[in-house]
Amino acid sequence: MKRILITGAAGFLGSHLCDRFIAEGYYVIGMDNLITGDLKNIEHLFKDKNFEFYHHDVTKFVHVPGKLDYILHFASPASPIDYLKIPIQTLKVGAMGTHNLLGLARVKKARILIASTSEVYGDPLIHPQTEEYYGNVNTIGPRGVYDEAKRYQEAITMAYHTFHGLETRILRIFNTYGPRMRLNDGRVIPAFIGQALRGEDLTVFGDGSQTRSFCYVDDQVEGIWRLLHSDYHFPVNIGNPDEITIKDFAEEIIKLTGTDQKIIYKPLPKDDPMQRQPNIDKAKEILGWEPKVGRAEGMRLTYEYFKSLSPEELAKEEHKDFTKFIN
Ligand code: NAD
Ligand code: UDP
């Protein structure tokens, strides 16, 4: 039986990855310090004999007994609000956490895939973004802690590949969404749906002309599965190229939720990328992958999830006014 360590297992993507690898017959070791994750995302797995969970901070020495075939390193705060609230932890998990996991992969002779991000392209000057683009990042801006941690993560991963011959995979994730996103992480989808469900106005930042391209979680997980099992060690973009402005997206949410909320405008956060769209030619060519779930279907499934949360959960004070963290 193949054994895999998944860090960030209690988070949004990590928990879906645990489900996928359990379903594929793997023995899954989930690891998380719960700083932005929640055990409720994986509690259904606790009774599975092929799943175990370590409550551990990966910036500290990581010990896992027994053999390991694969490591998926997904631990990291992932939303602009989270990394504004916990900037030092964000830097540490990308740098020290990644170093620890690369060391573990080396000892175990395991293949490691690291979760990088479209943020390595910063506020991109080319469009759509190809893997060859070096990016346009403000190192000392509010996003610098995340962007530079991820850029360092890619660099040290490539160094372990070249210097130690480690089997490495580098995944550049573009905005991915779906059930189990946290209601108060400030990312645009939980933010807008939460606001619609609470009867609040939708907060569009700037004039809403900035674009994003949203990928449904099942498509992302399939891309990760294929990249892990490929023999390609250079970075690969995984995302859905269907691009939309944030203002048009807010209007779509109002239609989807059937509410008559207004759109209100708030200042654009510093260094908010103006355009983001993945070029996925590499994923198509090397992995035979492309997204299958359109935004209408993906958003319907995501809305179902948020609607199923209890009214007490939805009304929690901490979910409101997340914008106060933004500078
Ligand atoms: P998330 O916040 O839901 O999950 C991250 C998980 O990592 C949480 O459970 C958190 O508790 C855990 N974690 C953080 N620091 C840790 C530490 N030091 N030790 C152990 N666990 C720690 O976020 P997500 O959206 O699931 O993102 C997962 C990964 O994917 C991150 O590395 C993120 O940078 C990357 N990513 C996600 C997206 C996206 O659109 N969802 C886009 C680009 C990159
Ligand atoms: N955004 C917005 N209103 C919100 C939350 C986010 O207009 O309440 C915008 C944000 O400024 C950005 C886009 O939506 O332009 C996507 O933001 P998110 O935090 O989801 O991800 P990222 O900026 O990292 O792509």
Side-chain angles (χ1 to χ4, degrees), residues 78-81 83 117-119 143 146-147 174-176 181 185-192 195 201-214 246-247 249-250 264 266-269 271-274 276 322-323 326:
S79 80
I81 302 256
Y83 44 83
T117 164
S118 52
E119 280 285 322
R143 289 175 180 249
Y146 181 68
D147 299 8
F174 280 68
N175 297 64
T176 298
M181 290 187 97
D185 77 5
R187 286 187 272 194
V188 67
I189 290 176
F192 283 174
Q195 288 165 338
D201 295 333
L202 269 55
T203 51
V204 165
F205 299 158
D207 63 4
S209 63
Q210 71 271 33
T211 68
R212 293 296 185 272
S213 310
F214 297 107
I246 294 301
K247 181 173 183 297
F249 186 57
I264 53 167
K266 298 248 180 177
L268 189 68
D271 298 335
D272 197 291
M274 279 312 293
R276 184 180 287 152
F322 55 87
T323 57
I326 294 173

Side-chain angles (χ1 to χ4, degrees), residues 231-302:
D231 57 5
Y232 192 74
H233 66 273
F234 292 110
V236 179
N237 291 338
I238 299 284
N240 189 325
D242 186 6
E243 186 183 14
I244 185 169
T245 67
I246 294 301
K247 181 173 183 297
D248 289 348
F249 186 57
E251 277 157 9
E252 276 191 8
I253 300 256
I254 291 171
K255 277 204 196 98
L256 169 75
T257 56
T259 51
D260 56 0
Q261 308 318 125
K262 285 200 306 295
I263 293 176
I264 53 167
Y265 292 88
K266 298 248 180 177
L268 189 68
K270 186 167 166 41
D271 298 335
D272 197 291
M274 279 312 293
Q275 275 189 309
R276 184 180 287 152
Q277 183 191 34
N279 174 310
I280 58 165
D281 290 352
K282 277 211 167 57
K284 280 187 186 159
E285 197 183 301
I286 296 163
L287 312 178
W289 175 89
E290 61 183 325
K292 301 256 181 300
V293 185
R295 200 171 50 246
E297 175 63 0
M299 285 304 299
R300 192 186 62 72
L301 296 165
T302 307

